[in-house]
């Protein structure tokens, strides 16, 4: 691949979305290269999975805050991603909110997956929020990242039925499976530059 589209992936957890993306890249379904994986959690499964696949993977200590990076950590994340010359940053279970300098460094080039049909149930444990609310349809959303929490323009969504006997775990499992199909499809369209943004609306030029 000449000048491949370069992706940086950030995650804090087990990395099942990373694996779905890496599988799709390996299968030629996403015309891109995963240039770097970063985590704020030293023992995160996503780092182990990336290293098994010979993808550069790095832990960067997040600093003392629980929900955001401190300034030094933010600078280190930005520097690593710039050094890797990434075209797109893909958040795959990254559990910290990104702030001003990070967002400015990669304006319009950061996407996230969230386990609900946004704008319903932003924030944490959205599948549990969906069950508690009693909705009949849950799902997942891929969206651009802006300065709010789970509030950027929506790229794609996938619906998942809520069953009468669902527990938070069974519903989360089904949403996870939908994520593994939706995220590679959205990232492939971004890598093919088939996505354009008009105000809050994201237009797919081909599907
Ligand atoms: C996914 O369900 C993702 O939607 C969620 O974390 C999980 C990560 O799973 N992200 C958020 O809640 C972000 N607000 P993974 O590590 O197996 O990909």
């Amino acid at each position: 691949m000449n000048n491949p589209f370069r992706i940086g992936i950030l995650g804090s957890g087990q990395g099942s979305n990373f694996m779905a993306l890496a599988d799709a890249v390996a299968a030629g379904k996403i015309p891109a290269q995963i240039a770097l994986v970063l985590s704020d959690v030293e023992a995160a499964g996503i780092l182990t999975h990336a290293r098994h696949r010979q993808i550069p993977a790095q832990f960067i200590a997040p600093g003392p805050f629980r929900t955001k990076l401190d300034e030094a950590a933010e600078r280190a994340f930005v520097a690593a991603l710039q050094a890797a010359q990434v075209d797109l940053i893909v958040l795959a279970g990254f559990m910290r909110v990104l702030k001003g300098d990070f967002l400015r460094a990669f304006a319009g080039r950061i996407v996230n997956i969230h386990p609900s049909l946004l704008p319903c149930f932003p924030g944490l444990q959205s599948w549990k929020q969906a069950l508690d609310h009693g909705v009949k349809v849950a799902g997942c959303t891929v969206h651009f990242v802006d300065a709010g929490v789970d509030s950027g323009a929506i790229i794609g969504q996938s619906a998942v039925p809520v069953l009468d006997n669902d527990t938070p775990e069974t519903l989360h499992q089904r949403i996870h499976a939908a994520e593994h199909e939706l995220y590679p499809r959205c990232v492939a369209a971004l890598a093919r530059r088939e996505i354009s943004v008009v105000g809050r609306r994201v237009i797919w030029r081909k599907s």
Side-chain angles (χ1 to χ4, degrees):
M1 224 188 305
N2 282 339
N3 291 325
F5 187 87
R6 294 171 70 78
I7 297 173
I9 300 185
L10 271 55
S12 310
Q14 60 177 353
S16 69
N17 278 288
F18 158 75
M19 288 204 285
L21 290 162
D23 286 347
V25 167
K29 293 180 184 162
I30 301 177
Q33 178 185 340
I34 301 175
L36 181 62
V37 172
L38 296 177
S39 183
D40 58 327
V41 176
E42 195 160 18
I46 190 172
L47 291 176
T48 312
H49 292 309
R51 289 176 186 135
H52 278 153
R53 291 169 186 247
Q54 273 80 50
I55 294 170
Q58 194 185 333
F59 159 68
I60 297 178
F65 307 113
R66 211 169 43 85
T67 59
K68 62 174 188 173
L69 302 170
D70 73 5
E71 272 181 34
E74 189 179 81
R75 275 198 299 277
F77 271 82
V78 169
L81 291 160
Q82 284 174 338
Q85 299 186 307
V86 300
D87 298 294
L88 181 73
I89 295 170
V90 172
L91 307 184
F94 189 67
M95 301 311 281
R96 286 170 196 270
V97 178
L98 297 174
K99 298 285 182 188
D101 283 348
F102 194 117
L103 297 179
R104 273 188 289 280
F106 301 104
R109 294 191 289 141
I110 310 173
V111 296
N112 180 45
I113 190 155
H114 182 77
S116 78
L117 292 176
L118 291 170
C120 285
F121 313 129
L124 296 177
Q125 296 202 311
S126 306
W127 58 92
K128 194 166 175 305
Q129 295 186 53
L131 268 188
D132 290 347
H133 198 91
V135 296
K136 299 297 187 194
V137 180
C140 50
T141 302
V142 174
H143 63 93
F144 284 104
V145 173
D146 65 10
V149 175
D150 304 322
S151 58
I154 290 172
I155 301 167
Q157 293 187 300
S158 181
V160 169
V162 179
L163 307 180
D164 288 343
N165 58 354
D166 260 333
T167 62
E169 292 71 33
T170 59
L171 179 58
H172 190 200
Q173 249 172 29
R174 219 166 323 104
I175 292 173
H176 242 138
E179 291 183 338
H180 300 159
E181 188 273 328
L182 177 69
Y183 218 179
R185 203 153 46 78
C186 291
V187 172
L190 287 157
R192 294 200 176 96
R193 304 190 192 277
E194 291 172 1
I195 297 284
S196 49
V197 185
V198 183
R200 273 203 63 89
R201 296 187 65 189
V202 173
I203 312 295
W204 290 57
R205 279 189 280 112
K206 278 199 300 192
S207 61

